[in-house]
């Protein structure tokens, strides 16, 4: 039976499909309709729902590509087999192919949001994975951010995507996004923050907001727990990215 959240869709010359198994989509009417009750449930509880767009490119296999082509990227180098968060071996990724110059405008259309963790934009930002010697060999510096957010991870080397000078890369991207001085929009940090660290980084003006992921999975009422400085549920890393719709996602207790 067709799942409206997971069904591939063709737009012109592009075959939009999922690069990870069980990844959800939101590019066709059926998918939008399937998301509505989820978004409405969050909104009814006073929450705000953001949609994150991303493209994996070389973090994929030929099975997810049209006609089983090689995934496209900034490099021809394959990704080493890595251990996933649930302790299982990730799939053996298909060696990618480097995009031709004439493919760049098409290859990057509509994927200027998720620029982190070794995915498409990050592959072009990091000098350990971008092997191009043309005008796309440096940072892709024409990224607009007037009404959208972009996620960057200059300090990570996830999926073999590291950089030799992450501080300089991060500052350059902030300056490029603002096109004059260092980025003056809302700055959100994430990754390993607890209640105390989160309050500190905001109080000291190092960030405007702090995003929580793993803690939120284990604590559906995390803001309330932070407000009361209550004890937190411990998350189960073994349950991350599993196929079970309940275990590890909706079975953690409220206060």
């Amino acid at each position: 039976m067709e799942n409206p959240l997971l069904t591939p869709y063709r737009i012109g010359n592009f075959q939009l499909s999922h690069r990870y198994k069980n990844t959800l989509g939101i590019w066709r009417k059926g998918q939008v309709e399937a998301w509505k009750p989820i978004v409405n449930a969050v909104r009814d509880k006073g929450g705000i729902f953001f949609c994150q767009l991303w493209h994996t490119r070389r973090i994929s296999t030929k099975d997810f590509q049209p006609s089983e082509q090689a995934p496209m990227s900034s490099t021809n180098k394959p990704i080493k087999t890595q251990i996933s968060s649930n302790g299982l071996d990730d799939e053996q990724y298909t060696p990618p192919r480097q995009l031709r110059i004439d493919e760049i405008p098409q290859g990057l259309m509509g994927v200027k949001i998720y620029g982190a963790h070794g995915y498409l934009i990050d592959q072009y930002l990091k000098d350990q994975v971008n092997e191009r010697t043309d005008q796309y060999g440096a940072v892709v510096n024409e990224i607009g951010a007037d009404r959208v957010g972009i996620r960057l991870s200059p300090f990570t080397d996830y999926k073999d995507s590291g950089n030799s000078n992450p501080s300089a890369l991060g500052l350059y991207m902030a300056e490029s996004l603002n096109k004059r001085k260092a980025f003056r929009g809302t700055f959100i940090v994430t990754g390993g923050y607890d209640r105390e660290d989160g309050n500190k980084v905001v109080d000291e003006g190092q960030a405007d907001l702090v995003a929580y992921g793993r803690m939120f999975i284990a604590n559906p009422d995390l803001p309330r727990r932070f407000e009361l400085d209550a004890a937190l549920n411990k998350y189960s890393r073994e349950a991350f990215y599993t196929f079970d719709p309940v275990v590890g996602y909706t079975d953690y207790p409220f206060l």
Side-chain angles (χ1 to χ4, degrees):
M1 182 176 180
E2 181 181 275
N3 185 327
L5 292 179
L6 300 174
T7 306
Y9 189 68
R10 177 174 290 280
I11 298 180
N13 295 326
F14 297 99
Q15 175 70 33
L16 301 181
S17 59
H18 302 281
R19 272 47 183 176
Y20 276 171
K21 294 178 179 178
N22 299 299
T23 306
L24 306 183
I26 192 168
W27 59 71
R28 63 185 305 178
K29 184 177 180 180
Q31 295 168 337
V32 173
E33 293 300 320
W35 273 110
K36 284 183 178 179
I38 301 172
V39 175
N40 289 337
V42 173
R43 186 167 52 195
D44 290 345
K45 292 290 186 178
I48 299 174
F49 212 105
F50 279 78
C51 178
Q52 176 173 272
L53 304 179
W54 52 295
H55 199 305
T56 65
R57 281 310 191 196
R58 75 171 186 150
I59 305 176
S60 184
T61 70
K62 61 182 177 59
D63 299 329
F64 290 95
Q65 308 301 320
S67 302
E68 296 192 346
Q69 302 172 18
M72 295 178 287
S73 181
S74 60
T75 180
N76 293 322
K77 289 193 304 186
I79 299 174
K80 300 175 183 177
T81 301
Q82 300 187 27
I83 303 298
S84 64
S85 58
N86 62 6
L88 302 175
D89 284 337
D90 282 344
E91 293 184 80
Q92 186 67 48
Y93 300 110
T94 302
R97 71 173 180 86
Q98 195 176 80
L99 277 168
R100 301 189 309 269
I101 290 180
D102 64 288
E103 293 177 308
I104 294 289
Q106 293 183 344
L108 293 180
M109 285 296 293
V111 291
K112 295 182 178 177
I113 305 296
Y114 199 117
H117 295 117
Y119 298 120
L120 180 58
I121 295 177
D122 206 29
Q123 291 168 31
Y124 276 85
L125 299 182
K126 301 296 182 60
D127 58 12
Q128 292 180 17
V129 66
N130 190 343
E131 299 179 315
R132 305 187 69 96
T133 57
D134 51 32
Q135 66 266 38
Y136 295 101
V139 172
V140 179
N141 56 23
E142 292 298 325
I143 299 178
D146 293 333
R147 292 183 178 88
V148 300
I150 182 168
R151 180 172 182 171
L152 304 172
S153 60
F155 290 94
T156 66
D157 58 0
Y158 190 70
K159 301 299 185 185
D160 300 346
S161 295
N163 196 74
S164 58
N165 193 339
S167 296
L169 174 62
L171 182 59
Y172 179 84
M173 287 305 301
E175 292 170 340
S176 297
L177 288 168
N178 214 42
K179 292 191 171 73
R180 286 184 302 277
K181 298 179 181 179
F183 182 62
R184 299 192 301 272
T186 301
F187 189 68
I188 306 174
V189 295
T190 185
Y193 288 90
D194 57 20
R195 178 180 182 275
E196 182 179 353
D197 293 337
N199 284 331
K200 181 179 180 181
V201 75
V202 173
D203 289 342
E204 294 180 351
Q206 299 180 38
D208 299 298
L209 298 168
V210 179
Y212 294 91
R214 289 164 289 183
M215 284 187 181
F216 238 128
I217 290 177
N219 298 274
D221 51 357
L222 186 64
R224 180 61 173 166
R225 290 176 186 257
F226 276 0
E227 181 183 8
L228 300 176
D229 198 12
L232 302 179
N233 299 322
K234 293 183 178 179
Y235 57 81
S236 173
R237 185 176 291 276
E238 290 72 23
F240 290 175
Y241 306 109
T242 63
F243 304 130
D244 195 299
V246 176
V247 176
Y249 288 100
T250 61
D251 60 339
Y252 288 102
F254 286 78
L255 278 175

